[in-house]
Amino acid sequence: MRLAELSERSGVSTATIKYYLREGLLAPGRQINATTAEYDEEHLRRLRLVRAMIQVGRVPVATVREVLRHVDDDSLGRTIRLGAALWALPQVPEPDAEDEYVRAAHGETEQLLGALGWSNAQALVTISPAHRSLVVAVAALRRLGYDWSPELLMSYARLMHQAAVLDLDFMETHPSEAEKVEIAVLGAVLVEPMLQALHRLAQEEESARRYGFE
C-alpha cells in the first residue's frame, strides 16, 4: 500500500506517519522510485502500536523508540525481551533505601514472593521496576498507618497471577515473537488501565449491593 492508503487505514495523518518514519518508530517502506515507497501489513500493525503508546498511553517519543528497540531485538530470549521492552516504559523513581518504611517494605515483599513461590520474581528484585513499584506502594501504606495485612496482599497477588496467565495465554495466540512482545507492551499501556477501571467499577457495584445508594 502507498502512504495515503496507510494513512487511511490507520487513521493517522500522512504528516504524522512521516514524522514517525523520521524518528525511527516505523521502518522505511519498500522504495518504488525516488519519491514513492510501499508499505505492508507489518507497517500498519506497528503504526497502530506506536499511535496507541503515544496518543493513549502518553508515552514520550524517545521512550517509544527505546521500547521498540527491545521489541525488535530477536537476539534476546522471550522473557528478557518482554522484560526489556516493559522496563523501558516510564517507571516510578528509586525509593530512598535509608527510609525505614522502604526497608521494611523490601523485607515484606521478599517474604511475600517467597510464600507465593515466585522464585523467578525473587531473582529480579534488584532490577525489576515492578518490584520497585510494589515496595513504594507498600511503604506508603505503612507510612500512612494502614493495616494492609500480608495475608490480604497475598490474596491480591494470587488474583494477579491469574490475570498474568490470561495475559500470556492471549499473547501466545499471536504468531511472531515481535507480535507477542507488542501485545505485552499494549497490555501495559492499555490493558492495565482497563483492569484498573474494571476494579473500580467492581468496587462501585459491590458498594451499591452492600450499602445501597443512600
Side-chain angles (χ1 to χ4, degrees):
M1 74 187 89
R2 304 294 173 86
L3 183 63
E5 184 182 352
L6 180 62
S7 173
E8 182 179 356
R9 290 183 62 185
S10 66
V12 181
S13 71
T14 56
T16 299
I17 294 173
K18 289 177 180 178
Y19 170 66
Y20 292 164
L21 287 165
R22 288 196 303 272
E23 292 295 320
L25 305 185
L26 284 178
R30 184 175 66 84
Q31 208 68 35
I32 297 175
N33 55 47
T35 59
T36 306
E38 190 172 62
Y39 303 90
D40 57 22
E41 295 298 322
E42 293 274 328
H43 288 93
L44 180 62
R45 192 187 76 244
R46 176 56 59 86
L47 180 55
R48 287 169 172 164
L49 172 66
V50 169
R51 196 62 171 163
M53 292 177 69
I54 292 174
Q55 192 172 47
V56 182
R58 307 298 183 190
V59 180
V61 167
T63 302
V64 173
R65 188 187 303 110
E66 178 68 10
V67 170
L68 295 178
R69 185 174 67 83
H70 296 300
V71 168
D72 294 331
D73 188 354
D74 55 11
S75 70
L76 301 174
R78 185 179 299 171
T79 297
I80 299 300
R81 195 172 180 179
L82 282 170
L86 293 175
W87 293 357
L89 291 168
Q91 306 291 343
V92 300
E94 192 72 40
D96 180 6
E98 300 304 315
D99 185 289
E100 61 176 307
Y101 292 101
V102 170
R103 290 200 304 270
H106 269 291
E108 188 174 339
T109 55
E110 286 183 24
Q111 289 179 1
L112 171 71
L113 297 177
L116 289 165
W118 292 4
S119 57
N120 295 309
Q122 282 182 299
L124 297 172
V125 294
T126 58
I127 58 174
S128 171
H131 180 266
R132 184 164 67 240
S133 295
L134 179 60
V135 167
V136 168
V138 170
L141 284 168
R142 296 292 179 260
R143 188 178 293 109
L144 293 169
Y146 284 96
D147 184 21
W148 200 274
S149 70
E151 292 76 20
L152 183 58
L153 190 57
M154 181 173 289
S155 296
Y156 275 100
R158 286 173 174 151
L159 287 173
M160 291 303 98
H161 184 259
Q162 292 178 38
V165 170
L166 292 174
D167 291 340
L168 269 66
D169 285 347
F170 177 67
M171 183 187 75
E172 289 172 0
T173 64
H174 293 76
S176 72
E177 285 298 316
E179 284 179 276
K180 288 178 172 64
V181 183
E182 287 178 4
I183 287 297
V185 172
L186 280 176
V189 174
L190 300 178
V191 178
E192 287 182 9
M194 181 181 72
L195 294 179
Q196 182 184 60
L198 286 170
H199 185 201
R200 290 179 180 174
L201 286 169
Q203 288 174 329
E204 292 169 6
E205 176 67 18
E206 183 62 19
S207 178
R209 286 181 181 179
R210 293 191 186 196
Y211 313 123
F213 290 99
E214 296 181 0

